[in-house]
Amino acid sequence: MKVAAVVVTYKRYELLKKNIEACLEQTFIVDKLIIVDNCSMDGTIEKIKMDFAGCGLLDIVELKENTGGAGGFSSGIQYAYNKNYDCLILMDDDGRPHRKDTFETLLDNYNKQYKEGIPVMLNSLVVCDDENLSFGFGNISKVKEAISCSNNHYIDGYCNPFNGTLINRELIETIGFPRKEFFIRFDEKDYFERSLRVNNRVVGTVVDSIYYHPSTGTNEVKKIFGICFVNAYEAGWKEYYKVRNSFYLYKESGKNTVYIYLKYIQYVSGLYVFRIKNKKELLPFLKKGYADAKCGNLGKLVEPGCKKL
Protein backbone atom coordinates (compact mmCIF):
# COMPACT_ATOMS: atom_id res chain seq x y z
CA MET A 1 0.00 0.00 0.00
CA LYS A 2 1.42 3.36 -1.07
CA VAL A 3 0.68 6.23 1.33
CA ALA A 4 1.39 9.94 0.84
CA ALA A 5 0.81 12.89 3.12
CA VAL A 6 -0.44 16.15 1.57
CA VAL A 7 0.29 19.43 3.36
CA VAL A 8 -1.09 22.74 2.05
CA THR A 9 0.94 25.80 3.04
CA TYR A 10 0.95 29.57 2.61
CA LYS A 11 3.54 31.84 4.26
CA ARG A 12 3.96 29.73 7.39
CA TYR A 13 7.57 28.61 7.27
CA GLU A 14 8.03 27.95 11.00
CA LEU A 15 4.78 25.97 11.32
CA LEU A 16 5.41 24.06 8.12
CA LYS A 17 8.89 23.11 9.35
CA LYS A 18 7.39 21.76 12.59
CA ASN A 19 4.87 19.75 10.58
CA ILE A 20 7.56 18.18 8.39
CA GLU A 21 9.75 17.39 11.40
CA ALA A 22 6.80 15.72 13.14
CA CYS A 23 6.06 13.66 10.01
CA LEU A 24 9.69 12.53 9.81
CA GLU A 25 9.56 11.37 13.45
CA GLN A 26 6.53 9.13 12.92
CA THR A 27 6.75 5.41 13.62
CA PHE A 28 5.09 4.99 10.21
CA ILE A 29 6.89 7.02 7.56
CA VAL A 30 4.77 7.85 4.52
CA ASP A 31 6.15 7.07 1.06
CA LYS A 32 6.03 10.72 0.09
CA LEU A 33 5.34 14.04 1.82
CA ILE A 34 3.73 16.31 -0.76
CA ILE A 35 3.96 20.01 0.09
CA VAL A 36 1.52 22.18 -1.87
CA ASP A 37 2.66 25.80 -1.72
CA ASN A 38 -0.01 28.41 -2.46
CA CYS A 39 2.47 30.83 -4.06
CA SER A 40 3.91 32.04 -0.74
CA MET A 41 6.52 34.35 -2.35
CA ASP A 42 8.14 34.99 1.06
CA GLY A 43 10.97 32.48 0.98
CA THR A 44 9.02 29.70 2.72
CA ILE A 45 9.76 27.04 0.11
CA GLU A 46 13.35 28.13 -0.45
CA LYS A 47 14.04 27.77 3.29
CA ILE A 48 12.29 24.38 3.43
CA LYS A 49 14.38 23.13 0.51
CA MET A 50 17.54 24.17 2.36
CA ASP A 51 16.43 22.74 5.72
CA PHE A 52 15.57 19.35 4.24
CA ALA A 53 18.15 19.16 1.45
CA GLY A 54 18.88 15.53 0.68
CA CYS A 55 15.57 14.33 2.14
CA GLY A 56 14.06 12.23 -0.60
CA LEU A 57 10.69 12.17 1.14
CA LEU A 58 9.61 15.66 0.06
CA ASP A 59 7.77 16.41 -3.17
CA ILE A 60 7.03 20.13 -3.49
CA VAL A 61 4.21 21.39 -5.71
CA GLU A 62 4.47 25.15 -6.29
CA LEU A 63 1.22 26.74 -7.44
CA LYS A 64 1.38 29.90 -9.57
CA GLU A 65 -1.20 31.75 -7.48
CA ASN A 66 -2.80 31.63 -4.04
CA THR A 67 -5.80 29.33 -4.49
CA GLY A 68 -6.68 29.20 -0.78
CA GLY A 69 -7.02 26.06 1.30
CA ALA A 70 -9.73 24.73 -1.01
CA GLY A 71 -7.63 25.12 -4.13
CA GLY A 72 -4.53 23.82 -2.38
CA PHE A 73 -6.19 20.59 -1.24
CA SER A 74 -7.94 20.13 -4.56
CA SER A 75 -4.61 20.43 -6.40
CA GLY A 76 -2.73 18.31 -3.85
CA ILE A 77 -5.25 15.47 -3.84
CA GLN A 78 -5.42 15.45 -7.64
CA TYR A 79 -1.61 15.45 -7.87
CA ALA A 80 -1.27 12.53 -5.43
CA TYR A 81 -4.14 10.63 -7.06
CA ASN A 82 -2.40 10.89 -10.44
CA LYS A 83 0.74 9.49 -8.79
CA ASN A 84 -1.30 6.38 -7.90
CA TYR A 85 -1.12 6.53 -4.12
CA ASP A 86 -3.58 4.23 -2.36
CA CYS A 87 -4.15 6.48 0.66
CA LEU A 88 -3.53 10.13 1.48
CA ILE A 89 -3.19 11.85 4.86
CA LEU A 90 -4.32 15.47 4.53
CA MET A 91 -2.98 18.30 6.72
CA ASP A 92 -2.92 22.08 6.97
CA ASP A 93 0.44 23.71 7.67
CA ASP A 94 -0.54 25.00 11.11
CA GLY A 95 -1.25 21.50 12.48
CA ARG A 96 0.90 18.40 12.88
CA PRO A 97 0.91 14.85 14.25
CA HIS A 98 0.85 15.18 18.04
CA ARG A 99 2.37 11.81 18.87
CA LYS A 100 4.96 9.70 17.10
CA ASP A 101 2.39 6.97 16.44
CA THR A 102 -0.34 9.27 15.05
CA PHE A 103 -0.04 7.95 11.49
CA GLU A 104 0.57 4.34 12.53
CA THR A 105 -2.53 4.28 14.73
CA LEU A 106 -4.64 5.87 12.00
CA LEU A 107 -3.47 3.33 9.42
CA ASP A 108 -3.91 0.39 11.79
CA ASN A 109 -7.56 1.36 12.18
CA TYR A 110 -7.86 1.76 8.40
CA ASN A 111 -6.47 -1.72 7.80
CA LYS A 112 -8.95 -3.19 10.29
CA GLN A 113 -11.99 -1.49 8.73
CA TYR A 114 -11.12 -1.38 5.06
CA LYS A 115 -12.78 -3.76 2.64
CA GLU A 116 -11.93 -3.73 -1.05
CA GLY A 117 -13.79 -1.08 -2.99
CA ILE A 118 -15.11 0.75 0.11
CA PRO A 119 -14.58 4.55 0.24
CA VAL A 120 -12.93 5.65 3.49
CA MET A 121 -12.40 8.94 5.33
CA LEU A 122 -10.77 8.53 8.74
CA ASN A 123 -9.72 11.42 10.95
CA SER A 124 -7.28 11.64 13.81
CA LEU A 125 -8.66 13.20 16.99
CA VAL A 126 -7.84 16.91 16.62
CA VAL A 127 -6.76 18.57 19.87
CA CYS A 128 -5.48 22.02 20.84
CA ASP A 129 -4.13 20.77 24.18
CA ASP A 130 -4.31 17.66 26.37
CA GLU A 131 -7.87 18.40 27.51
CA ASN A 132 -9.65 20.22 24.67
CA LEU A 133 -10.64 19.44 21.11
CA SER A 134 -9.76 22.04 18.49
CA PHE A 135 -13.11 21.89 16.68
CA GLY A 136 -15.24 19.35 18.53
CA PHE A 137 -18.16 17.17 17.47
CA GLY A 138 -21.48 18.89 18.08
CA ASN A 139 -21.68 19.32 21.85
CA ILE A 140 -18.50 17.35 22.49
CA SER A 141 -15.56 19.68 23.18
CA LYS A 142 -13.35 17.69 25.58
CA VAL A 143 -10.87 14.92 24.81
CA LYS A 144 -12.25 12.71 27.59
CA GLU A 145 -15.80 13.12 26.27
CA ALA A 146 -14.73 12.05 22.80
CA ILE A 147 -12.94 8.97 24.11
CA SER A 148 -15.92 7.99 26.28
CA CYS A 149 -18.23 8.23 23.22
CA SER A 150 -16.00 6.02 21.09
CA ASN A 151 -16.53 2.36 20.28
CA ASN A 152 -13.30 0.38 19.86
CA HIS A 153 -11.37 3.68 19.64
CA TYR A 154 -13.65 4.90 16.83
CA ILE A 155 -16.45 7.46 16.53
CA ASP A 156 -18.63 6.84 13.49
CA GLY A 157 -19.82 9.70 11.30
CA TYR A 158 -17.59 12.52 12.63
CA CYS A 159 -14.52 14.09 11.01
CA ASN A 160 -12.58 17.37 11.11
CA PRO A 161 -11.09 17.56 7.59
CA PHE A 162 -8.33 18.46 6.64
CA ASN A 163 -6.49 17.83 9.90
CA GLY A 164 -4.83 14.44 10.01
CA THR A 165 -7.45 13.06 7.63
CA LEU A 166 -6.91 9.78 5.80
CA ILE A 167 -8.76 9.19 2.53
CA ASN A 168 -8.38 6.37 0.02
CA ARG A 169 -8.56 6.21 -3.78
CA GLU A 170 -12.06 4.78 -3.69
CA LEU A 171 -13.34 7.89 -1.90
CA ILE A 172 -11.70 10.20 -4.45
CA GLU A 173 -13.10 8.14 -7.31
CA THR A 174 -16.57 8.35 -5.76
CA ILE A 175 -16.85 12.01 -4.66
CA GLY A 176 -14.06 13.69 -6.64
CA PHE A 177 -11.91 16.53 -5.33
CA PRO A 178 -12.61 19.42 -2.93
CA ARG A 179 -14.25 22.45 -4.55
CA LYS A 180 -11.36 24.75 -5.37
CA GLU A 181 -13.81 27.53 -6.24
CA PHE A 182 -14.70 27.88 -2.53
CA PHE A 183 -11.19 29.34 -1.93
CA ILE A 184 -11.45 29.05 1.88
CA ARG A 185 -14.12 28.03 4.39
CA PHE A 186 -16.66 25.21 4.12
CA ASP A 187 -14.69 23.33 1.47
CA GLU A 188 -13.77 20.82 4.20
CA LYS A 189 -17.36 20.62 5.49
CA ASP A 190 -18.64 20.10 1.95
CA TYR A 191 -16.08 17.34 1.30
CA PHE A 192 -17.00 15.63 4.56
CA GLU A 193 -20.75 15.81 3.89
CA ARG A 194 -20.25 14.45 0.37
CA SER A 195 -18.42 11.48 1.90
CA LEU A 196 -21.33 10.85 4.28
CA ARG A 197 -23.73 10.51 1.34
CA VAL A 198 -21.79 7.57 -0.08
CA ASN A 199 -23.27 4.11 0.39
CA ASN A 200 -21.26 1.51 2.30
CA ARG A 201 -18.62 4.06 3.31
CA VAL A 202 -16.37 4.19 6.38
CA VAL A 203 -16.29 7.74 7.80
CA GLY A 204 -15.24 8.55 11.34
CA THR A 205 -12.59 9.57 13.87
CA VAL A 206 -9.92 7.38 15.47
CA VAL A 207 -9.65 8.73 19.01
CA ASP A 208 -6.24 7.30 19.85
CA SER A 209 -4.61 8.83 16.77
CA ILE A 210 -3.87 12.33 18.07
CA TYR A 211 -3.35 15.34 15.83
CA TYR A 212 -2.56 18.85 17.05
CA HIS A 213 -4.19 22.00 15.68
CA PRO A 214 -4.23 25.34 17.55
CA SER A 215 -7.58 26.81 18.52
CA THR A 216 -8.87 29.08 15.78
CA GLY A 217 -9.95 32.71 15.75
CA THR A 218 -9.64 35.39 18.43
CA ASN A 219 -12.24 34.81 21.10
CA GLU A 220 -14.21 37.76 22.39
CA VAL A 221 -16.18 37.44 25.61
CA LYS A 222 -19.33 39.52 26.06
CA LYS A 223 -21.76 39.59 28.99
CA ILE A 224 -25.51 39.87 28.38
CA PHE A 225 -27.78 39.80 31.43
CA GLY A 226 -24.86 38.42 33.39
CA ILE A 227 -24.31 35.51 31.01
CA CYS A 228 -20.92 35.19 29.26
CA PHE A 229 -20.99 34.55 25.52
CA VAL A 230 -17.84 33.63 23.62
CA ASN A 231 -17.52 34.67 19.99
CA ALA A 232 -14.70 33.55 17.70
CA TYR A 233 -13.68 36.80 16.01
CA GLU A 234 -12.61 36.62 12.36
CA ALA A 235 -11.66 39.25 9.81
CA GLY A 236 -14.33 40.54 7.43
CA TRP A 237 -12.83 38.93 4.32
CA LYS A 238 -12.92 35.52 6.01
CA GLU A 239 -16.53 36.12 7.09
CA TYR A 240 -17.31 36.83 3.43
CA TYR A 241 -16.18 33.36 2.36
CA LYS A 242 -17.87 31.74 5.34
CA VAL A 243 -21.22 33.36 4.45
CA ARG A 244 -20.93 32.88 0.70
CA ASN A 245 -19.94 29.22 0.78
CA SER A 246 -22.27 28.15 3.58
CA PHE A 247 -25.32 29.83 2.03
CA TYR A 248 -24.38 28.53 -1.42
CA LEU A 249 -24.51 25.04 0.06
CA TYR A 250 -27.94 25.81 1.56
CA LYS A 251 -29.15 26.85 -1.88
CA GLU A 252 -27.60 23.82 -3.56
CA SER A 253 -29.25 21.48 -1.05
CA GLY A 254 -32.68 22.74 -2.13
CA LYS A 255 -33.54 24.96 0.83
CA ASN A 256 -36.20 27.49 -0.13
CA THR A 257 -35.46 31.21 -0.46
CA VAL A 258 -37.35 32.24 2.69
CA TYR A 259 -35.52 29.68 4.83
CA ILE A 260 -32.13 30.82 3.50
CA TYR A 261 -32.94 34.50 4.06
CA LEU A 262 -34.10 33.88 7.63
CA LYS A 263 -30.90 31.91 8.36
CA TYR A 264 -28.89 34.84 6.98
CA ILE A 265 -30.73 37.34 9.19
CA GLN A 266 -30.19 35.05 12.17
CA TYR A 267 -26.46 34.83 11.41
CA VAL A 268 -26.02 38.60 10.95
CA SER A 269 -28.04 39.34 14.09
CA GLY A 270 -25.94 36.92 16.09
CA LEU A 271 -22.71 38.55 14.97
CA TYR A 272 -24.04 42.01 15.79
CA VAL A 273 -25.28 40.99 19.24
CA PHE A 274 -22.21 39.06 20.33
CA ARG A 275 -19.41 40.69 18.37
CA ILE A 276 -17.47 43.57 19.87
CA LYS A 277 -15.03 44.78 17.19
CA ASN A 278 -15.43 46.26 13.69
CA LYS A 279 -19.19 45.82 13.30
CA LYS A 280 -19.56 48.59 10.70
CA GLU A 281 -16.77 47.22 8.54
CA LEU A 282 -18.23 43.72 8.76
CA LEU A 283 -21.69 44.26 7.23
CA PRO A 284 -20.55 44.89 3.59
CA PHE A 285 -18.64 41.59 3.63
CA LEU A 286 -21.71 39.74 4.90
CA LYS A 287 -24.01 41.37 2.35
CA LYS A 288 -21.67 40.60 -0.54
CA GLY A 289 -21.25 37.02 0.64
CA TYR A 290 -25.00 36.50 0.74
CA ALA A 291 -25.54 38.15 -2.65
CA ASP A 292 -22.82 36.07 -4.30
CA ALA A 293 -24.24 32.90 -2.76
CA LYS A 294 -27.66 33.67 -4.23
CA CYS A 295 -26.15 34.29 -7.68
CA GLY A 296 -23.76 31.35 -7.50
CA ASN A 297 -20.69 33.58 -7.83
CA LEU A 298 -17.76 31.48 -6.61
CA GLY A 299 -13.98 31.81 -6.81
CA LYS A 300 -11.55 34.24 -5.16
CA LEU A 301 -13.73 37.35 -5.27
CA VAL A 302 -12.38 39.08 -2.14
CA GLU A 303 -8.63 39.36 -1.68
CA PRO A 304 -7.13 37.90 1.51
CA GLY A 305 -6.38 40.68 3.98
CA CYS A 306 -8.99 43.03 2.49
CA LYS A 307 -10.14 45.30 5.32
CA LYS A 308 -12.91 47.28 3.64
CA LEU A 309 -15.37 46.83 0.76
Side-chain angles (χ1 to χ4, degrees):
M1 180 171 67
K2 290 176 59 181
V3 182
V6 176
V7 185
V8 175
T9 189
Y10 180 68
K11 293 185 177 181
R12 282 175 171 165
Y13 162 70
E14 293 293 344
L15 290 172
L16 176 61
K17 184 179 178 183
K18 288 181 179 179
N19 176 290
I20 295 172
E21 289 171 343
C23 290
L24 294 176
E25 292 174 354
Q26 289 294 293
T27 53
F28 175 90
I29 302 295
V30 295
D31 296 289
K32 192 65 69 174
L33 182 54
I34 300 168
I35 309 298
V36 182
D37 178 57
N38 252 321
C39 198
S40 292
M41 301 290 287
D42 66 342
T44 291
I45 294 304
E46 289 74 15
K47 292 176 186 175
I48 290 297
K49 287 178 179 178
M50 289 176 61
D51 290 338
F52 299 97
C55 176
L57 191 71
L58 267 61
D59 189 355
I60 298 176
V61 179
E62 298 182 59
L63 302 181
K64 294 181 179 180
E65 64 174 314
N66 179 11
T67 61
F73 280 111
S74 184
S75 295
I77 293 171
Q78 187 165 2
Y79 178 87
Y81 179 82
N82 290 338
K83 293 285 184 178
N84 294 316
Y85 288 99
D86 300 298
C87 289
L88 309 178
I89 300 175
L90 310 175
M91 296 176 281
D92 246 334
D93 55 4
D94 54 347
R96 56 188 177 272
H98 192 50
R99 297 177 183 169
K100 291 186 177 181
D101 66 347
T102 296
F103 289 173
E104 182 179 4
T105 305
L106 191 62
L107 282 156
D108 282 348
N109 192 285
Y110 172 79
N111 289 328
K112 289 175 184 175
Q113 298 208 58
Y114 173 70
K115 295 180 181 178
E116 188 174 354
I118 298 298
V120 176
M121 176 185 284
L122 285 180
N123 226 99
S124 298
L125 188 68
V126 188
V127 306
C128 56
D129 55 47
D130 290 337
E131 296 182 358
N132 299 292
L133 303 178
S134 300
F135 308 106
F137 311 122
N139 294 324
I140 299 175
S141 61
K142 300 293 183 181
V143 173
K144 286 184 178 179
E145 289 179 290
I147 293 172
S148 67
C149 291
S150 66
N151 182 15
N152 291 324
H153 312 286
Y154 174 76
I155 301 176
D156 183 54
Y158 288 97
C159 286
N160 293 133
F162 300 111
N163 300 279
T165 308
L166 183 150
I167 62 173
N168 64 0
R169 290 187 67 82
E170 289 88 342
L171 184 78
I172 301 168
E173 288 164 355
T174 304
I175 69 172
F177 305 108
R179 300 194 202 207
K180 61 183 179 181
E181 61 270 23
F182 273 21
F183 189 65
I184 64 167
R185 296 294 185 271
F186 280 85
D187 53 299
E188 71 286 351
K189 184 175 187 294
D190 172 57
Y191 205 60
F192 167 60
E193 290 184 347
R194 282 156 60 190
S195 73
L196 285 178
R197 294 195 287 268
V198 176
N199 293 327
N200 301 317
R201 54 33 176 201
V202 173
V203 177
T205 291
V206 181
V207 298
D208 49 354
S209 171
I210 308 299
Y211 185 87
Y212 169 78
H213 190 285
S215 57
T216 57
T218 302
N219 289 336
E220 299 176 334
V221 180
K222 186 172 184 178
K223 276 191 174 182
I224 300 178
F225 301 119
I227 301 172
C228 288
F229 294 89
V230 179
N231 176 49
Y233 167 79
E234 286 202 302
W237 72 271
K238 291 184 179 180
E239 289 286 357
Y240 162 79
Y241 286 107
K242 186 186 293 185
V243 168
R244 187 197 67 181
N245 296 341
S246 62
F247 282 90
Y248 176 83
L249 289 174
Y250 276 137
K251 178 185 174 183
E252 188 180 59
S253 69
K255 301 292 185 184
N256 66 57
T257 304
V258 173
Y259 174 88
I260 295 173
Y261 180 70
L262 291 175
K263 290 290 286 186
Y264 171 68
I265 295 299
Q266 181 186 39
Y267 184 77
V268 173
S269 300
L271 282 180
Y272 266 67
V273 170
F274 298 118
R275 188 163 172 145
I276 299 168
K277 301 177 183 177
N278 302 330
K279 292 184 180 181
K280 290 183 180 179
E281 291 84 353
L282 184 65
L283 187 57
F285 288 101
L286 302 179
K287 290 172 68 176
K288 178 173 173 55
Y290 180 68
D292 284 342
K294 284 177 63 180
C295 297
N297 297 331
L298 302 179
K300 186 170 72 172
L301 302 183
V302 173
E303 285 296 321
C306 177
K307 295 182 179 179
K308 190 174 182 180
L309 288 180

